[in-house]
Amino acid sequence: MEFTRTENQSMIAQSVRDLCEREVRPNVMEWDESQHFPKELFTRHFGPAGVLGVFVPEEYGGSGLGYHEYVETIVEVARICGSIGLSVAAHNSLCTGHINYFGNEAQKKKWLTKLASGEWLGAWALTEPNTGSDAMRMKCTARKEGKEWVLNGTKCWITHGKSSDVVVAIVRTGELLDSKGMTAFVIERGNPGMKAGKKENKLGMRASETAEVIFEDCRVPEDNILGKEGEGFQQAMKILDGGRISIAALSLGIAKGAYDASVKYAKEREQFGQPIANFQAIAFKLADMATRIEAAELLIQQASHYKNTGQNKKVTTAGAMAKYYASEVCVWASNEAVQIFGGYGYTKDFPVEKFYRDSKLCTIGEGTSEIQKLVISRNVLRA
């Protein structure tokens, strides 16, 4: 495997970095404090810049790029704001990704063009109040009536649950605990049977909207099924394989942001007549941060390579390893950053307290660290 950064990847990273320095950084704390989700950022800036259709083929208005370029994109956004990085990741890898991988030609033309351009924002709905990791016990159901399906139930922890223009929802169309008893539907905002519920008041990732999606006799035409009836669960598991690389990249970006801030501060902050970077206690923390961040990045590159080359059996394990390790490093590195900043790290005047708050979600979202270890151990023991 060749992990040398290409010129194209470097150009994409620089372009995204410049865009985020200009449009995101000045607003980070204001958005965080008010829990404002800046949808206009996505429609006016990210869409036209190609940030919202990274995987989407050019024929549908996307950038037609692979996972290495996608990781570069997420890392650069999350380096400045984890919340915005999370929203970019959810839009690309979950909603847009699901339609891209499993939609038919008519569905791709109908929805991908709007999602890639930023005209529409996407959401993906799997989790329910009582079914997180245990998705096969979902209670949200759909029953067929003629050429329509009627959906009832509630999805929770949905990124863009209020602001999205289209939602991909996986609901039960068969028997409980039947892996072939779930189906993926696309529901457009404006459908009278779909509404937004409670918006969560979160510890971190506060500028990335998280809310309930409620279906009440929501009528959806059968043409809005992705793939075939009963394939929803298997599709979701494949989407989550790629989604884990997304959260790994998000974790890497937050960790790099915390590290960058720590190095800068350690060189500028003086105690006992010299920069604190001169003290071994601080220098060794930076050395450990740099080493673990590098290791996480290599795991992510490996998983991205497998995804790009269609080695799907390897993607499951490699993606889980990358997500597990990178997310844990993210939390650890953010904690170390606060420690390096000392009392200032505990205030909102410096960036590391936000990296610290944002980091924790990475060990929970799209499969907890415990679930990643379950996936890894099963595959290791099966080998």
Side-chain angles (χ1 to χ4, degrees), residues 161-183:
K162 283 179 175 285
S163 296
S164 57
D165 300 284
V166 63
V167 178
V168 173
I170 297 88
V171 303
R172 185 158 57 84
T173 51
E175 296 299 317
L176 192 69
L177 299 178
D178 181 2
S179 63
K180 295 183 180 179
M182 285 161 272
T183 304

Side-chain angles (χ1 to χ4, degrees), residues 81-91 159 202 205 208 247 250 361:
C81 181
S83 297
I84 304 304
L86 174 62
S87 281
V88 171
H91 174 91
T159 304
K202 299 175 296 182
M205 302 290 193
S208 179
I247 300 302
L250 178 66
L361 179 70

Side-chain angles (χ1 to χ4, degrees), residues 301-365:
Q301 289 178 339
Q302 176 176 257
S304 297
H305 170 75
Y306 290 148
K307 186 69 176 175
N308 281 342
T309 54
Q311 299 182 63
N312 295 328
K313 289 185 179 180
K314 291 184 177 181
V315 169
T316 300
T317 304
M321 286 180 172
K323 197 273 187 187
Y324 166 53
Y325 186 76
S327 64
E328 294 290 340
V329 166
C330 174
V331 173
W332 172 84
S334 299
N335 181 65
E336 289 291 89
V338 172
Q339 195 70 19
I340 289 170
F341 273 72
Y344 290 114
Y346 205 65
T347 71
K348 293 183 181 292
D349 295 327
F350 290 84
V352 292
E353 70 85 30
K354 182 177 182 298
F355 286 126
Y356 184 60
R357 287 186 289 108
D358 287 348
S359 68
K360 188 55 193 171
L361 179 70
C362 296
T363 66
I364 300 170

